[in-house]
Amino acid sequence: MKIAVDVMGTDYGLTELVQGAVDAVKKFACETILIGDAVKIEEVLAKLGIKDDRVRVHNASQVIEMDEHPAMAVKQKKDASIVVAARMLRQGLCDAVVSAGSTGAAMTAATLLTGRIKGVERPAIGLTIPGMGKGAVLVDAGANVDAKPSNLVQSAIMGSVYAEKILHILKPRVGLLNIGAEETKGNEQAQATFPLLKACKEINFQGNIEGRDITTGGTDVVVCDGFVGNALLKFGEGLAKTIFMLMKEAILTSGLLTKLGGGLIRPAMEKLRSKMDPNKYGGALLLGIKAPFVICHGNSKAYAITNAIGITIEFVKNNVTDVIAERIQQNKNMVGSV
């Protein structure tokens, strides 16, 4: 399996991404194609002492920066690393793409160059939120900030496939994120989406859910538009970090017995921290694209990149793209087709 990794345009530079890709090659026995400035990539490989035929380098002379307009940059920079990666994926030169660069550029390149699955109106970002049990799939986590009800139905279908194939949940329970559990609650978007989800035979729709229900284990797929989803995601990441910081501060500023107790529970706390760490999952799947495309945080380090490649391999092995295409076609009369 060949995974193309866009190693340009990230917060921590080449070394972390190259190291993460190399670690993935060793851990998952895959091949990686490192796309970017070939001279700089080779320098990093030499510095790390990496000599492995499974790690290849493909030159791309341009980079799309985080502050550039995604659509304009993708059209103007034909040799940008993410553009080259998306083109290679369309041509079948790799099995999947992983990128930690500009999310907007990755989405644009994937949509325009790799292409959407037939019938998918808009791709959506799906990722796992830690919680009770196996966690829950959040979709959309930032792709479509202004979504129509039909977009949310397709997100529910694609999120259900994610939960089935990646989290291995049989008949995943789908909930529409809302301000109340009653069917009549919410804005116009939520009220128009509810009956469509209820009528969709391809999902196990459980009704509306509130924000406090997301991590309790009662729902497997959380459906919302990208504006709400991204805000929810960032809030959750910040809250988890703050809770651990406050706990540490409380222990260190308390008495001797509290400090001793803190030392005793440290292994359990580290286990909890690991479960809540977003880097454990590494990346988010861009659902609705013809081939596997994974988007990582711009601040991803080697550990996150390795895990992102791991989940990408699972995405390929479980034929998630084909299953999504099949489910979308089965519901094309309800949500329309493109």
Side-chain angles (χ1 to χ4, degrees):
M1 192 177 297
K2 298 178 182 178
I3 310 298
V5 184
D6 169 19
V7 296
M8 306 302 292
T10 61
D11 295 346
Y12 292 108
L14 282 172
T15 302
E16 289 289 339
L17 272 74
V18 171
Q19 184 67 67
V22 170
D23 291 345
V25 167
K26 297 175 182 178
K27 184 175 182 178
F28 303 114
C30 62
E31 296 181 30
T32 60
I33 306 171
L34 308 180
I35 303 176
D37 187 320
V39 174
K40 292 181 179 179
I41 296 172
E42 294 288 1
E43 289 175 353
V44 172
L45 289 172
K47 181 180 179 181
L48 295 174
I50 304 300
K51 293 183 179 180
D52 193 323
D53 292 339
R54 296 172 297 177
V55 180
R56 294 166 44 201
V57 178
H58 188 99
N59 186 60
S61 62
Q62 297 174 304
V63 179
I64 296 178
E65 303 293 348
M66 296 291 187
D67 58 352
E68 292 189 72
H69 189 282
M72 291 180 60
V74 167
K75 292 178 181 179
Q76 293 173 357
K77 293 186 173 181
K78 303 295 184 183
D79 202 42
S81 53
I82 188 60
V83 173
V84 172
R87 196 160 53 231
M88 290 178 67
L89 187 57
R90 181 190 64 194
Q91 296 169 349
L93 300 177
C94 60
D95 297 299
V97 166
V98 173
S99 174
S102 164
T103 298
M107 289 172 47
T108 302
T111 303
L112 296 180
L113 301 176
T114 305
R116 290 172 293 166
I117 291 172
K118 183 180 179 181
V120 172
E121 295 176 342
R122 294 183 182 178
I125 296 176
L127 81 168
T128 304
I129 296 180
M132 299 298 293
K134 296 181 179 180
V137 176
L138 174 66
V139 60
D140 181 10
N144 302 302
V145 296
D146 294 305
K148 300 183 298 183
S150 59
N151 300 150
L152 296 182
V153 174
Q154 291 194 342
S155 289
I157 294 170
M158 296 189 292
S160 293
V161 174
Y162 180 116
E164 287 178 25
K165 300 300 181 180
I166 303 300
L167 300 184
H168 308 293
I169 299 174
L170 184 64
K171 294 184 179 180
R173 298 159 297 176
V174 177
L176 176 64
L177 187 59
N178 208 326
I179 59 172
E182 297 85 358
E183 185 172 347
T184 56
K185 287 284 188 175
N187 56 15
E188 292 181 2
Q189 178 199 65
Q191 292 184 31
T193 301
F194 190 101
L196 295 179
L197 291 174
K198 191 175 181 179
C200 183
K201 297 180 180 180
E202 298 304 317
I203 62 172
N204 180 19
F205 183 53
Q206 301 291 298
N208 290 326
I209 62 166
E210 297 178 85
R212 61 189 174 192
D213 303 320
I214 294 174
T215 58
T216 59
T219 303
D220 303 308
V221 180
V222 179
V223 178
C224 59
D225 63 45
F227 184 92
V228 172
N230 194 263
L232 175 69
L233 174 65
K234 301 294 174 59
F235 172 76
E237 291 176 354
L239 179 62
K241 182 181 293 186
T242 301
I243 288 174
F244 282 108
M245 290 173 62
L246 291 174
M247 290 179 65
K248 182 178 180 180
E249 180 183 333
I251 292 172
L252 293 177
T253 56
S254 299
L256 179 60
L257 289 178
T258 301
K259 292 178 180 178
L260 290 174
L264 292 173
I265 66 169
R266 184 172 181 177
M269 294 304 299
E270 289 300 324
K271 184 177 181 180
L272 176 60
R273 184 194 295 273
S274 175
K275 183 174 182 179
M276 298 298 291
D277 185 2
N279 290 323
K280 178 181 178 181
Y281 302 97
L285 303 179
L286 187 53
L287 303 168
I289 298 299
K290 288 182 178 179
F293 217 104
V294 171
I295 298 174
C296 307
H297 270 300
N299 61 357
S300 295
K301 291 192 174 183
Y303 173 68
I305 296 300
T306 300
N307 290 337
I309 292 174
I311 198 173
T312 304
I313 291 172
E314 289 298 310
F315 191 58
V316 177
K317 285 183 177 179
N318 289 285
N319 298 315
V320 173
T321 300
D322 293 339
V323 177
I324 287 175
E326 179 182 341
R327 301 274 178 89
I328 292 295
Q329 284 303 304
Q330 290 172 349
N331 282 271
K332 64 182 180 180
N333 292 332
M334 175 183 295
V335 298
S337 60
V338 178

